[in-house]
Amino acid sequence: SWTASRDDRKVVSYDVYQGGVKLHSVGGAQTATVVTGLRPGTRYSFTVRARDAADNLSPAAGPLALTTAAGTGAGRDTAPGDFRATSHASGGAYYLDLSWVAPRTDGTVTEYGIELDGRPATSLVWGANAPRDRASYSFYAGTERGVRHRVRLRARLPDGTWGGWSAERTVVTGAGR
């Protein structure tokens, strides 16, 4: 909620922003709104701008920073699903082949972080043609056969925060699955 703005041409609406992204507008007589779809244990920042009848915008009021209460699911609803990891050989080297189902979000997921053996390994970024269902990626894992790796991944969600981790998979170079 916020204090009503005053304008000589009448306030006709308020624009509500999360970070720098406009979420929605409410009528000029309203001084509160409800924001839904927030994730547990996540920090958010909101601002409000008044719009007058001449379509002028006021400076942003706020920001209001808040962190939602922790949830019980540890982000599982935002984790990539059906995560699979295998290995293949090519040209004297071994590669890890990953595939997963993109998490269901209110937008397109274009970036994933991949963790290998408990450490960040790489980021995978798609442009405008990011997969909305099953995605796959293959990356170099070395030249030695029989090396055991633990791998998992997570999505950078459309709001810029990281989702939950996928299940961790163990794969051995040269062993197939």
Side-chain angles (χ1 to χ4, degrees):
S1 65
W2 54 90
T3 303
S5 184
R6 294 180 189 213
D7 187 88
D8 61 346
R9 295 182 185 225
K10 183 180 177 188
V11 173
V12 295
S13 66
Y14 292 96
D15 295 340
V16 180
Y17 295 81
Q18 176 188 335
V21 178
K22 182 179 168 183
L23 294 177
H24 63 273
S25 296
V26 297
Q30 290 182 254
T31 57
T33 192
V34 174
V35 178
T36 62
L38 303 179
R39 287 192 322 284
T42 304
R43 184 171 173 77
Y44 294 93
S45 177
F46 297 97
T47 56
V48 176
R49 297 179 75 183
R51 184 178 300 275
D52 70 10
D55 207 30
N56 297 310
L57 277 173
S58 72
L64 169 67
L66 64 87
T67 301
T68 54
T72 58
R76 282 189 285 272
D77 60 336
T78 62
D82 194 22
F83 179 51
R84 301 174 190 178
T86 59
S87 170
H88 82 272
S90 178
Y94 293 97
Y95 296 83
L96 299 184
D97 301 315
L98 312 178
S99 71
W100 62 93
V101 174
R104 299 291 175 234
T105 64
D106 290 335
T108 303
V109 174
T110 60
E111 181 178 358
Y112 292 88
I114 299 172
E115 184 182 89
L116 183 65
D117 300 324
R119 294 190 306 248
T122 190
S123 289
L124 173 60
V125 180
W126 270 282
N129 296 322
R132 292 184 152 266
D133 293 312
R134 182 154 290 279
S136 62
Y137 180 68
S138 183
F139 67 99
Y140 175 79
T143 58
E144 192 175 337
R145 180 182 179 85
V147 177
R148 179 180 301 275
H149 292 288
R150 294 175 293 112
V151 63
R152 65 183 185 162
L153 73 146
R154 64 182 176 171
R156 183 177 300 269
L157 304 173
D159 68 2
T161 61
W162 286 103
W165 287 103
S166 69
E168 185 175 86
R169 301 291 182 229
T170 299
V171 61
V172 178
T173 56
R177 288 190 176 259

